[in-house]
Amino acid sequence: MTVVVRTRTVCRRCSAVGGYVSGSLELGIGHESSSLLTEEQLECSICLEVLTDPVTTPCGHSFCKSCITQSWNKSQHYYCPFCKEKFTKRPELKINITLREVADHFKKKHALDQPEVLCDACTGVKQKAIKSCLDCGVTFCSFHLEPHINVPKYKKHKLIKAVKNLDKYICQKHEKPLELFCRDDQKCVCQFCTEGDHKNHSIIPLEEESGQRKSQLGKTQMKLQQMIQERLKKIQEINHSVELSKRSIEKDKSECVDVFTALIRSIERTQAELLRVMEEKQKAVEKQAEGLIKELEQEINKLKRRNTELEQLSHTDDHIHLIQIYPSLCIAPHTKNWTEIRINTELSLDALRTALSQLQQSLNDKLKETVSTELKRIQQYAVDVTLDPDTAYPFLILSADGKQVTYRDTKQNLPDTPKRFTYYAIVLGNQGFSSGRFYYEVQVSGKNDWDLGVVIESVNRKGEIEGMKPQEGFWTMVLRNGNSYRACEDSSISLSLREKPQKVGVFVDYEEGLVSFYDVEARSHIYSFTGQSFTEKLYPYFSPADNDGGKNSAPLIISPVIKTE
């Protein structure tokens, strides 16, 4: 609870009105709340001090227990010292515990915030002062204040809370209380000032000027509180985005582990199959070689036997026998023609090529499945992007629904506003993003040149830009001459794409510093800017480039995102 003390003190007994005092106090009373309380509301109207052991009368007014008790002990009738309501019998009073806690806390805090003021009238040991009199120019303790409470002459004096710098509340020229305000000179004045230096000036009571300023302070306070709430809300949004990012990252990590685990298992299975096939092919080669060697060895043995027979006949003396068997021995034994016989080692190479081809296809399928899963995930961040006509280069024509942009060779007569691009054929999206994730898709079919991506809000819109790169606030990819794709990093990066994209998806994760491009129909990833640091609002960026003599007249079209099931 906050106690704001800014009040004009009124003497409860003599109705003398004092000047303004101010201060503030934080009250902790077991709950979080904010309440405006004045010191006057915590003041006993008998002793004019902050309540001590407060008790409340049946009429609703509160007093120190000792003060009201002493007042009633001295009187035959029982009435409220403040409103004078009489009671038929003496009320039974009990201490208001909550009010006592507030008052005690106030006194402790006030004692810390305010230096102790001593009585000017005391001789010897000075007592603590409780009130200052603007008419007397003196500060009094409770004892010396008694005449201002009981003596009629002094009851009209103006009392305020005891202060050290009493001169601030008194006109130095006329030695009278400052109770008026001069709006012409913006200063506090006394009644005599209005008859002299401030004559014919706009003069109002000090209370009125103070009230208006308090009102203005209240408005300022409300504005500050609103600003605080807005920033607290932004902190909540940022923390929420971080939490969502954390959950998404954890999910992505899990999916990534699952995908790569599946890839590793696929590779291991393919490797095992490949080794098995190669081993089988090797066994087949060895078996073929074994059969051929056995057959060769048999023919060698046959030839050796014939050679032995011929050797024996060459030394025989049996001419008749030689002549009889000569015809059969002169002809070589029947054998196989081994000239064209080869071991088929090509079987192993064919198996290897087949296995590698299968592995490559498996990897491609897994990669496509991974990208498809990734696209399915990021499509949940799809936003409805429309083109902002106030940013469009004067040669660009936008469709009525703000979804298409084409280049026309005739310049339009458009106002040169700060948002408009006047040097390059660029148009931005209406919606900017300073946190979170967003995704959109653009149809680029039929075009030979185009640019897509995101840019910062403060990007150069009027002059030449040295490269559409991150240093200049651009995160883009481009197509040139129908087949040259490039990512516009600090140094341009050539992109090798198997297929020509017909629809490009753009995904941004602001907190992660990520900008990614996808071929939507091929379900493939094109390129990503990673590790970026975004510090201002990002806007979708489009450039259809010029017509190139009609070769590049097709529009860029922001397409509705069809989420993958």
Side-chain angles (χ1 to χ4, degrees), residues 330-471:
C330 286
I331 301 173
H334 178 72
T335 57
K336 185 184 290 186
N337 183 3
W338 294 92
T339 305
E340 301 298 330
I341 302 300
R342 297 283 187 278
I343 296 296
N344 189 6
T345 58
E346 292 296 323
L347 292 174
S348 297
L349 295 176
D350 289 343
L352 177 61
R353 294 190 188 98
T354 300
L356 289 175
S357 177
Q358 291 174 348
L359 177 59
Q360 182 65 44
Q361 184 60 43
S362 176
L363 290 174
N364 289 339
D365 291 343
K366 283 292 182 183
L367 184 59
K368 188 171 183 178
E369 180 182 341
T370 302
V371 175
S372 183
T373 301
E374 175 70 7
L375 266 177
K376 180 179 179 181
R377 182 185 68 82
I378 67 177
Q379 282 177 335
Q380 66 180 307
Y381 301 105
V383 293
D384 183 18
V385 176
T386 55
L387 301 172
D388 183 359
D390 292 336
T391 67
Y393 183 62
F395 287 85
L396 298 182
I397 304 298
L398 309 185
S399 62
D401 62 359
K403 296 291 186 179
Q404 300 186 30
V405 54
T406 55
Y407 188 98
R408 189 172 69 178
D409 292 329
T410 304
K411 183 179 181 180
Q412 301 176 88
N413 185 19
L414 300 174
D416 184 9
T417 61
K419 293 174 63 177
R420 191 176 306 284
F421 288 87
T422 56
Y423 199 91
Y424 295 100
I426 296 172
V427 61
L428 302 185
N430 264 308
Q431 301 82 356
F433 303 88
S434 55
S435 64
R437 302 170 178 178
F438 61 95
Y439 173 80
Y440 59 94
E441 294 178 352
V442 184
Q443 183 177 315
V444 296
S445 56
K447 296 193 65 63
N448 294 326
D449 298 89
W450 49 259
D451 301 10
L452 290 177
V454 292
V455 299
I456 58 176
E457 186 172 23
S458 63
V459 72
N460 181 8
R461 305 181 186 221
K462 303 301 180 183
E464 186 174 1
I465 301 170
E466 188 178 344
M468 307 281 188
K469 52 191 178 182
Q471 287 181 348

Side-chain angles (χ1 to χ4, degrees), residues 68-94:
I68 190 67
T69 299
Q70 291 177 14
S71 175
W72 286 348
N73 286 342
K74 296 177 182 179
S75 174
Q76 296 180 349
H77 303 285
Y78 308 116
Y79 61 91
C80 173
F82 185 79
C83 68
K84 310 303 181 184
E85 181 178 340
K86 291 184 179 181
F87 309 118
T88 55
K89 65 177 181 177
R90 182 166 179 162
E92 183 180 351
L93 302 175
K94 293 184 179 180

Side-chain angles (χ1 to χ4, degrees), residues 237-254:
E237 290 177 359
I238 292 173
N239 286 333
H240 183 62
S241 296
V242 170
E243 182 61 27
L244 290 178
S245 176
K246 182 179 178 181
R247 294 177 187 174
S248 180
I249 295 268
E250 290 299 324
K251 182 181 178 182
D252 293 348
K253 285 166 63 178
S254 176

Side-chain angles (χ1 to χ4, degrees), residues 9-12 14-18 154-159:
T9 307
V10 180
C11 178
R12 296 297 190 189
C14 63
S15 300
V17 181
Y154 294 117
K155 285 184 179 182
K156 297 180 180 180
H157 286 194
K158 294 177 175 59
L159 300 176

